[in-house]
Amino acid sequence: MGIAAFVVDTFGPRNVAQTATDQSQLSTAVNVADALVALKLLATHPRIDPARIGVLGFSKGGQVALYTELEPFRQAVIADDIRFALHVAFYPYCSDWYMSERLTKAPMLLLLGGQDDYTPAGPCRDYAAWFKSKGAETTVIVYPNAYHDFDFEAVAPAFVRDLVTGKNCDGAIDLDRFTVAIRPTGKTSRPGRPRTFAIASAGEPPSAAMTRRGGGRPRTSRGFVKRVLQPGG
């Protein structure tokens, strides 16, 4: 069995260099739509098995890997039954949860840094538990000493200022009922009263952005992909 990789560049064609310091430049919904359009394209390739296409993302891309598990997003772009066969999210942002009773129920793998203070592991563990409660096979692995961007080569963790984070927002966006709520209180609002959850991190301690690569991490995701996508898997 061969494996092909298709890299989706959401930023370049839109002249966006990065969104870490200004999330308003590009909605994550754009990334989600791009990934689903890529799935549609790949499914037409004669050498690609449309039933064995997965999505893997890092940080903001990790959000995409999670959100494409939600059927309302998938069905907004894809009219037929084509869906991702697996979802792998490296250190995604999980403080705001998009939710639905309708999932694709493809297997999910979340790889998180225990020292990540930009996209903390705690909300991701809870979000994964929510996905699991809705019927998705979900695996969470936390590397206790790893920071954000832990797959980057670096001599030591580096501290990055001026990042935008929503790590204390705790939003719950219900795609079935079109409501927005604060998870700890359950207080809801409806469309027509828009709420922005992303907040600037000015005045907060700087976020640790990277640490040195750990040798076991690539094998973890590789084994998951092989298990799910292999014939008969």
Side-chain angles (χ1 to χ4, degrees):
M1 178 182 69
I3 295 180
F6 186 92
V7 179
V8 178
D9 181 5
T10 293
F11 286 2
R14 296 178 174 93
N15 295 316
V16 175
Q18 53 82 22
T19 59
T21 59
D22 182 4
Q23 295 290 339
S24 68
Q25 294 181 93
L26 194 69
S27 168
T28 304
V30 176
N31 301 77
V32 172
D34 283 358
L36 291 168
V37 170
L39 171 61
K40 288 176 61 177
L41 174 64
L42 288 170
T44 66
H45 195 289
R47 299 184 64 185
I48 298 294
D49 183 345
R52 295 196 181 98
I53 301 173
V55 57
L56 184 151
F58 301 79
S59 195
K60 193 178 184 74
Q63 288 180 263
V64 176
L66 299 179
Y67 295 165
T68 47
E69 175 83 20
L70 299 163
E71 279 284 72
F73 282 138
R74 189 192 70 82
Q75 292 176 352
V77 178
I78 298 177
D80 55 26
D81 292 331
I82 295 173
R83 63 198 64 204
F84 286 115
L86 60 82
H87 303 255
V88 180
F90 283 77
Y91 42 85
Y93 168 72
C94 299
S95 291
D96 293 325
W97 299 4
Y98 282 84
M99 308 167 74
S100 173
E101 293 299 316
R102 296 169 290 142
L103 306 183
T104 71
K105 297 185 179 178
M108 306 175 73
L109 172 64
L110 285 75
L111 302 168
L112 314 173
Q115 300 299 315
D116 190 340
D117 63 350
Y118 182 47
T119 57
C124 287
R125 284 194 295 258
D126 294 341
Y127 198 17
W130 176 84
F131 276 109
K132 187 173 183 178
S133 75
K134 299 301 178 182
E137 176 194 324
T138 308
T139 302
V140 177
I141 297 176
V142 180
Y143 302 107
N145 298 319
Y147 293 86
H148 197 75
D149 284 350
F150 57 70
D151 58 310
F152 275 51
E153 294 286 2
V155 174
F159 290 92
V160 180
R161 296 184 182 273
D162 301 321
L163 300 181
V164 174
T165 174
K167 64 182 180 181
N168 296 317
C169 291
D170 300 328
I173 301 90
D174 190 319
L175 299 175
D176 299 330
R177 300 173 180 82
F178 300 103
T179 60
V180 178
I182 304 300
R183 292 198 311 280
T185 65
K187 185 177 180 180
T188 63
S189 62
R190 291 186 177 275
R193 298 175 59 191
R195 182 184 182 98
T196 301
F197 285 105
I199 58 174
S201 59
E204 298 181 5
S207 292
M210 63 182 68
T211 189
R212 59 167 62 96
R213 188 192 304 267
R217 298 183 187 102
R219 290 193 293 272
T220 301
S221 56
R222 204 158 48 225
F224 175 79
V225 170
K226 183 177 181 180
R227 175 179 67 81
V228 175
L229 296 187
Q230 67 183 352

